[in-house]
């Protein structure tokens, strides 16, 4: 049996791959470009190819050359875009672009310099833009209010901008002097005024869909629109949706297990040198031994104020964990790096854009316990799928060794399924191009499809340590985009387990290839905008533990309440209290919603005995009253023409009709007495109504306790020759209260914290008085009609009523 031993080796022959890079130079010599390349880490790699292209933008003609340092002919004058692409044996590539403006093809006398300048203020900083041509040096002279301020002599012609900070208001005179190699000079000057400035108060914005989140995860204030510069994937994958809400990764620490990270202006104070393991023992990492780790980190967290790139989680902190020294690393160094992350309680997320296609049983055994322990401890790991164009499918004997990034594919091996059943995440990321098609170099999902997704991995802008800003291609640069999205969700929802964040990112990915999860694209393309939105129907609950099952939930869209003037005081106060209610999606993520539109402020008339038409009354005895609008009836007893008693009821509490979290069950009972006094053709009718209303609150709804309410109503109306006018008050509560519980936020443990308070539902005896005007006429002995108008100035409502009555 052939045995394979894993040792620390050079990348071309090892299990691991990092993107190559070069630093080209192009110099015009007469009618040719002389090229050269400064080579770095891949000097000893076999089969490295170079492709040069010189494209004349003016004439639109192209010449192609191969080789590391060809001499390229210049066929014509014009503006040239010179591109060199270097590709290593593993399929990883690096592209560099140089621009040359060819104005002459034969030596010519040095022309006189042409000087120009533009000046402006940025706050209290003077910015001088030097716009000289044909110059070898420039000098800048600055005065303020006629007094010397600064003089920069003999600047290189490559210095195009000078800045003078911390200036005070006044008039500034600026002069630029340009000179060429023959000593010819030209001067340009201008003046500019710095006025007194006032500093506006800062505008602090908070996320629109959450209030309570920042008790646990603090959103970044005043984010606004983020300029993505050359980081095009930020726009394509919807990162701005998170920034709009204030989420930038602030407070989240991301371990980058790689070649180290260079400490420069990319991260400021957000870079922490963690540990290094490439030498076999732990030591402190101090930088980037190769450049790859810095590139990965810049895609995750480069500062938003950088001139060229923006990290997806630009406020996150990078923790450098160095597993490679240059291009050389080992399986053991990755094992120790994962164990280091597990030892840090403040680091729960790691990016590993490293891997290898072969692993021995000893390698797997050495990683098994470490990886499972780390994931069970809620540590999450994001892996690059690899750049060998493999399908990651088993051979005829069921073996995947050699066809996958073996570290990333660990959960598919026997005894490793706990990696997908624990609190932490285990994700694999492949690469697609701008057209959302799988990159030729990217390893596909294969057996890892259930925990695999893709991101844009071609021509990704970043900062390669030791080289500068580059476009890089490889799954190494797709994985950190998913890691950045993971960090944003960690900040917004710090109570989520890594496994839940993984499920959210996978469920919200844009489906590519075959419908559903497939062996090429896995779950599909990263979509940060969709991941930030609720998944499933938002649910309400007043007080519960979100981790406890079998507790009532109510859909936000299915919860509403309306009613009559009897419950108007409750509706009025409830309307203001539901403007910011915490609701929860399928992952128990909190989203604060405004439900005021679902509490109706347009109330209907309440219960009033005078709204009922008495059918066939006699001087005395029982009778029935009907309301044709509400299709309800009452019963009564007439003592004589002047004195009547009434009894009625309905199946509501204070006339309220609720659904879902507002579904109050109730019963109301009413009694009334009316008296009529006649003075010739003038009659005066008075009525007193009393009632009682009881209710039951919905289980775990937003209303959680209801007390008994006593009701009082009255009416006084004068009638003359069919005309009537007066005032009335529908039956309304004179006491009683309703307890409401508005969920405010959830805790890390899953408890919902609610604000509970009592609403007094009583209405004063002189409130909600309505003006009543009506006319009644008899058509014949049996048929009559009534036209009425009721105005309620308190509720700002008016009601017109027409009624026909037929007596049998």
């Amino acid at each position: 049996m052939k045995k394979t031993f894993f040792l620390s080796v050079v990348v071309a022959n090892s299990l691991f791959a990092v993107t190559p890079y070069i630093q080209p130079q192009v110099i015009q010599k007469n009618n040719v470009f002389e090229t050269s390349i400064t080579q770095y880490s891949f000097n000893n790699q076999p089969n490295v190819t170079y492709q040069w292209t010189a494209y004349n933008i003016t004439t639109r003609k192209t010449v192609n050359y191969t080789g590391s340092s060809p001499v390229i002919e210049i066929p014509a004058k014009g503006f040239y875009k010179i591109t060199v692409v270097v590709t290593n044996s593993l399929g990883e590539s690096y592209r560099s672009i140089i621009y040359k403006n060819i104005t002459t093809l034969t030596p010519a006398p040095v022309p006189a310099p042409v000087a120009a300048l533009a000046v402006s203020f940025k706050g209290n900083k003077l910015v001088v833009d030097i716009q000289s041509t044909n110059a070898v040096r420039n000098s800048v002279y600055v005065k303020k209010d006629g007094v010397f301020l600064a003089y920069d002599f003999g600047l290189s012609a490559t210095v195009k901008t000078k800045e003078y900070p911390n200036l005070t208001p006044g008039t500034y005179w600026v002069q630029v002097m340009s000179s060429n190699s023959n000593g010819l000079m030209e001067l340009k000057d201008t003046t500019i005024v710095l006025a007194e400035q006032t500093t506006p108060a800062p505008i602090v914005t908070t996320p629109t869909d959450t209030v309570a989140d920042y008790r646990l995860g603090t959103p970044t204030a005043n984010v606004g629109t983020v300029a993505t510069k050359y980081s095009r994937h930020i726009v394509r994958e919807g990162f701005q949706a998170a920034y709009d809400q204030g989420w930038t990764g602030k407070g989240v620490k991301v371990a980058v297990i790689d070649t180290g990270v260079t400490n420069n202006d990319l991260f400021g104070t957000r870079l922490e040198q963690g540990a290094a393991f490439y030498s076999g023992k732990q030591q402190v990492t101090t930088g980037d031994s190769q450049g790859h780790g810095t590139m990965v980190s810049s895609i995750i967290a480069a500062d938003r104020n950088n001139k060229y790139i923006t990290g997806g989680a630009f406020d996150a902190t990078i923790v450098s964990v160095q597993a490679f020294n240059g291009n050389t690393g080992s399986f053991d160094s990755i094992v120790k790096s994962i164990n280091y992350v597990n030892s840090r309680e403040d680091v729960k997320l790691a990016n590993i854009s490293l891997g290898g296609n072969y692993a021995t049983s000893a390698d797997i055994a050495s990683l098994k316990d470490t990886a499972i322990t780390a994931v069970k401890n809620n540590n999450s790991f994001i892996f690059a799928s690899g750049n060998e164009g493999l399908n990651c499918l088993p051979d005829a004997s069921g073996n995947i060794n050699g066809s996958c990034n073996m570290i990333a594919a660990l959960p598919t091996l026997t005894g490793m399924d706990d990696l997908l059943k624990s609190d932490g995440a285990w994700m694999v990321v492949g690469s697609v191009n701008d057209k959302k098609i799988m990159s030729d170099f990217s390893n596909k999902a294969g057996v890892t499809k259930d925990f695999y997704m893709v991101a844009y991995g071609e021509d990704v802008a970043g900062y390669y340590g030791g080289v500068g800003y580059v476009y890089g291609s490889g799954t190494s640069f797709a994985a950190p985009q998913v890691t950045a999205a993971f960090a944003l969700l960690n900040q917004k929802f710090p109570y989520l387990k890594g496994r839940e964040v993984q499920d959210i990112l996978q469920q919200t990915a844009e489906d590519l290839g075959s419908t559903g999860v497939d062996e090429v694209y896995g779950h599909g393309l990263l979509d940060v905008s969709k991941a930030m939105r609720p998944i499933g129907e938002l649910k309400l609950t007043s007080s519960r533990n979100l981790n406890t099952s079998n507790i009532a939930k109510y859909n936000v869209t299915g919860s509403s309440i309306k009613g009559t003037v009897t419950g108007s005081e409750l509706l009025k106060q409830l309307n203001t209290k539901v403007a910011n209610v915490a609701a929860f999606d399928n992952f128990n993520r909190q989203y604060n919603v405004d439900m005021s539109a679902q509490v109706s402020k347009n109330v209907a008339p309440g219960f009033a005995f005078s709204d009922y038409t008495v059918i066939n009354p006699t001087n005395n005895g029982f009778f029935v009253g009907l309301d044709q609008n509400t299709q309800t009836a009452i019963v009564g007893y007439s003592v004589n023409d002047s004195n009547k008693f009434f009894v009625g009821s309905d199946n509501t509490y204070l006339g309220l009709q609720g659904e879902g979290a507002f579904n109050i069950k109730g019963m109301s009972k009413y009694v009334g007495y009316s008296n009529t006094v006649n003075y010739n053709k003038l009659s005066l009718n008075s009525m007193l109504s009393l009632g009682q209303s009881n209710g039951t609150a919905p289980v775990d709804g937003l209303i959680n306790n209801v007390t008994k309410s006593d009701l009082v109503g009255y009416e006084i109306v004068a009638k003359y020759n069919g005309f009537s006018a007066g005032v009335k008050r529908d039956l309304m509560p004179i006491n009683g209260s309703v307890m409401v519980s508005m969920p405010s936020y959830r805790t890390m443990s899953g408890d919902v914290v609610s604000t509970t308070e009592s609403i007094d539902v009583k209405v004063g005896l002189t409130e909600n008085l309505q003006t009543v005007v009506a006319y009644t006429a008899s058509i014949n002995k049996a048929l009559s009609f009534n036209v009425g108008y009721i105005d309620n100035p308190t509720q700002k409502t008016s009601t017109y009523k027409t009624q026909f009555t037929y007596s049998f």
Side-chain angles (χ1 to χ4, degrees):
M1 177 183 296
K2 181 179 178 181
K3 294 184 178 180
T4 303
F5 296 94
F6 189 89
L7 298 174
S8 177
V9 292
V10 177
V11 69
N13 301 313
S14 73
L15 311 184
F16 306 94
V18 293
T19 303
Y21 65 91
I22 59 172
Q23 190 167 3
Q25 296 85 35
V26 176
I27 301 173
Q28 181 192 5
K29 291 290 185 69
N30 296 327
N31 297 337
V32 298
F33 291 126
E34 292 186 356
T35 67
S36 62
I37 289 179
T38 301
Q39 301 182 126
Y40 290 85
S41 61
F42 58 97
N43 289 359
N44 298 322
Q45 293 184 16
N47 303 320
V48 175
T49 61
Y50 305 85
Q51 179 64 49
W52 294 79
T53 300
Y55 173 61
N56 190 319
I57 297 175
T58 306
T59 64
R60 298 186 179 181
K61 293 184 178 180
T62 302
V63 292
N64 297 307
Y65 288 83
T66 59
S68 61
S69 301
V71 176
I72 301 174
E73 293 184 2
I74 306 175
K77 299 177 184 179
F79 195 79
Y80 282 80
K81 175 183 177 182
I82 304 165
T83 305
V84 58
V85 179
V86 59
T87 305
N88 68 11
S89 59
L90 298 180
E92 294 182 313
S93 64
Y94 163 72
R95 181 181 66 172
S96 182
I97 300 174
I98 298 173
Y99 293 93
K100 293 287 185 178
N101 186 19
I102 305 304
T103 58
T104 179
L105 293 178
T106 57
V110 178
V114 177
L117 80 160
V119 296
S120 60
F121 282 108
K122 292 184 179 179
N124 64 352
K125 178 170 62 177
L126 175 66
V127 179
V128 180
D129 290 317
I130 307 168
Q131 302 166 348
S132 63
T133 56
N134 306 326
V136 295
R137 66 182 60 86
N138 296 298
S139 298
V140 180
Y141 189 55
V142 181
K143 290 182 179 181
K144 181 207 170 191
D145 296 330
V147 179
F148 169 78
L149 180 68
Y151 183 41
D152 291 288
F153 175 78
L155 297 172
S156 168
T158 60
V159 177
K160 298 298 184 183
T161 303
K162 285 296 296 180
E163 297 180 348
Y164 302 91
N166 303 319
L167 301 182
T168 56
T171 300
Y172 290 81
W173 176 82
V174 182
Q175 181 187 74
V176 62
M177 178 179 68
S178 300
S179 59
N180 67 9
S181 57
N182 292 338
L184 299 175
M185 293 186 297
E186 184 172 0
L187 302 177
K188 290 289 181 180
D189 62 80
T190 189
T191 58
I192 187 172
V193 176
L194 176 60
E196 293 283 350
Q197 300 182 27
T198 58
T199 303
I203 300 174
V204 179
T205 59
T206 55
T208 57
D209 67 347
T210 178
V211 168
D213 277 340
Y214 56 77
R215 290 172 181 264
L216 298 171
T218 304
T220 308
N222 220 15
V223 176
T225 301
V226 173
T228 56
K229 291 92 173 181
Y230 294 97
S231 301
R232 298 169 295 176
H233 61 277
I234 296 291
V235 176
R236 294 171 180 166
E237 292 164 348
F239 279 81
Q240 183 62 47
Y243 307 150
D244 287 342
Q245 300 172 23
W247 308 109
T248 62
K250 188 173 184 179
V252 179
K253 290 188 175 183
V254 182
V256 176
I257 299 176
D258 215 286
T259 62
V261 183
T262 299
N263 186 4
N264 54 32
D265 293 338
L266 288 170
F267 315 106
T269 60
R270 296 179 296 102
L271 174 60
E272 180 181 330
Q273 299 295 346
F277 296 98
Y278 58 84
S279 63
K281 60 181 180 179
Q282 180 175 341
Q283 55 189 317
V284 176
T285 180
T286 57
D288 191 339
S289 63
Q290 199 265 1
H292 186 269
T294 302
M295 177 78 167
V296 169
S297 299
S298 70
I299 297 168
I300 297 172
D303 192 271
R304 67 173 293 195
N305 294 320
N306 186 277
K307 293 181 179 179
Y308 304 108
I309 59 175
T310 300
F314 52 77
D315 277 335
T317 296
I318 297 295
V319 178
S320 175
V321 183
Q322 190 174 349
F324 273 35
N325 185 21
N327 290 326
T328 303
S330 69
F331 212 96
D332 178 66
S333 64
I334 294 180
V335 173
K336 290 179 178 176
S337 296
I338 291 175
N339 188 57
Y340 173 77
V341 171
N342 186 47
S343 71
R344 293 279 300 263
E345 285 301 319
D346 59 335
V347 181
K348 291 297 180 184
L349 175 62
N351 187 97
I352 306 180
S353 289
L354 306 168
N357 303 332
Y358 292 90
T360 67
S361 58
D363 291 334
I364 301 301
S366 69
L367 182 55
K368 178 179 179 180
D369 290 341
T370 297
I372 290 177
T373 298
V375 176
K376 284 185 175 181
N377 195 30
N378 194 29
N379 290 288
S380 298
F381 299 93
I382 317 296
F383 296 88
S385 69
N387 302 320
E388 295 75 37
L390 301 172
N391 292 323
C392 201
L393 293 171
D395 59 21
S397 62
N399 181 34
I400 62 169
N401 214 1
S403 66
C404 295
N405 177 345
M406 289 302 294
I407 297 177
L410 280 179
T412 67
L413 303 181
T414 302
M416 303 291 277
D417 55 348
D418 278 350
L419 291 174
L420 299 180
K421 298 178 180 179
S422 302
D423 286 345
W426 193 279
M427 302 181 69
V428 181
V429 183
S431 168
V432 294
N433 62 20
D434 291 351
K435 297 181 179 179
K436 303 180 183 179
I437 298 173
M438 180 66 64
S439 300
D440 292 339
F441 56 76
S442 178
N443 290 350
K444 300 174 180 62
V447 295
T448 70
K449 65 180 183 180
D450 290 333
F451 48 100
Y452 181 104
M453 64 188 302
V454 296
Y456 294 107
E458 297 188 21
D459 288 339
V460 181
Y463 185 92
Y464 210 105
V467 178
Y469 295 97
V470 302
Y471 283 112
S473 297
T475 59
S476 286
F477 311 136
Q481 297 169 40
V482 175
T483 302
F486 205 110
L488 297 178
L489 286 168
N490 273 349
Q491 182 196 10
K492 180 173 173 61
F493 306 107
Y495 40 72
L496 291 181
K497 302 296 185 182
R499 175 66 47 196
E500 294 174 303
V501 177
Q502 176 176 345
D503 289 344
I504 290 167
L505 289 173
Q506 292 177 168
Q507 285 189 31
T508 56
E510 180 185 349
D511 192 20
L512 301 178
S514 301
T515 302
V517 181
D518 62 69
E519 293 181 347
V520 178
Y521 298 95
H523 289 269
L525 177 63
L526 175 66
D527 187 338
V528 179
S529 176
K530 193 174 180 181
M532 286 286 162
R533 298 196 295 269
I535 296 175
E537 188 83 33
L538 283 177
K539 303 291 179 63
L540 294 163
T541 182
S542 61
S543 180
R544 64 190 286 267
N545 187 298
L546 291 164
N547 300 314
T548 304
S549 59
N550 301 320
I551 295 179
K553 293 182 179 180
Y554 302 95
N555 291 343
V556 169
T557 55
S559 297
S560 62
I561 189 169
K562 61 183 180 179
T564 67
V565 294
T566 311
S568 58
E569 186 62 26
L570 173 61
L571 291 174
K572 180 176 68 175
Q573 294 192 50
L574 191 61
N575 185 272
T576 63
K577 296 184 186 303
V578 296
N580 190 29
V581 180
F584 305 91
D585 74 347
N586 287 357
F587 285 88
N588 292 330
R589 294 186 293 174
Q590 175 190 330
Y591 292 88
N592 281 53
V593 295
D594 182 356
M595 297 183 63
S596 57
Q598 289 159 254
V599 177
S600 176
K601 292 187 291 186
N602 297 319
V603 294
F607 187 93
F609 285 110
S610 59
D611 290 336
Y612 289 83
T613 301
V614 176
I615 305 300
N616 282 334
T618 60
N619 289 338
N620 53 65
F622 290 99
F623 61 84
V624 176
L626 298 176
D627 186 334
Q628 67 178 17
N629 293 319
T630 62
Q631 300 296 304
T632 58
I634 61 170
V635 295
Y637 183 79
S638 178
V639 178
N640 51 46
D641 286 343
S642 298
N643 297 281
K644 297 181 177 65
F645 293 93
F646 307 88
V647 178
S649 67
D650 65 45
N651 294 323
T652 69
Y653 174 74
L654 301 183
L656 298 168
Q657 300 178 47
E659 300 291 338
F662 299 111
N663 187 18
I664 304 176
K665 303 293 184 181
M667 171 63 73
S668 298
K669 299 177 181 180
Y670 317 105
V671 296
Y673 166 74
S674 71
N675 175 261
T676 302
V677 178
N678 296 305
Y679 300 93
N680 296 323
K681 293 183 179 181
L682 176 67
S683 65
L684 186 66
N685 181 265
S686 60
M687 179 180 291
L688 176 65
S689 304
L690 302 174
Q692 192 174 87
S693 192
N694 288 281
T696 303
V699 178
D700 260 335
L702 299 185
I703 297 174
N704 64 9
N705 188 39
V706 177
T707 67
K708 178 179 67 176
S709 293
D710 295 316
L711 312 175
V712 175
Y714 54 85
E715 180 175 327
I716 301 174
V717 177
K719 297 182 179 180
Y720 182 80
N721 280 343
F723 291 94
S724 61
V727 295
K728 78 170 185 174
R729 180 186 189 272
D730 291 346
L731 276 159
M732 302 191 75
I734 59 172
N735 54 35
S737 63
V738 171
M739 191 72 69
V740 296
S741 290
M742 297 298 138
S744 300
Y745 65 97
R746 63 155 289 178
T747 65
M748 291 290 285
S749 63
D751 288 325
V752 177
V753 178
S754 298
T755 301
T756 302
E757 58 184 295
S758 177
I759 294 178
D760 194 340
V761 299
K762 73 178 181 181
V763 178
L765 287 172
T766 60
E767 295 182 47
N768 271 287
L769 292 180
Q770 304 171 62
T771 302
V772 179
V773 179
Y775 176 73
T776 303
S778 297
I779 299 175
N780 53 44
K781 291 182 179 181
L783 183 64
S784 65
F785 75 92
N786 174 277
V787 178
Y789 169 77
I790 301 174
D791 179 64
N792 188 330
T794 304
Q795 297 294 333
K796 298 180 181 180
T797 60
S798 298
T799 304
Y800 295 89
K801 184 177 180 180
T802 301
Q803 184 171 321
F804 288 87
T805 304
Y806 185 83
S807 299
F808 297 93

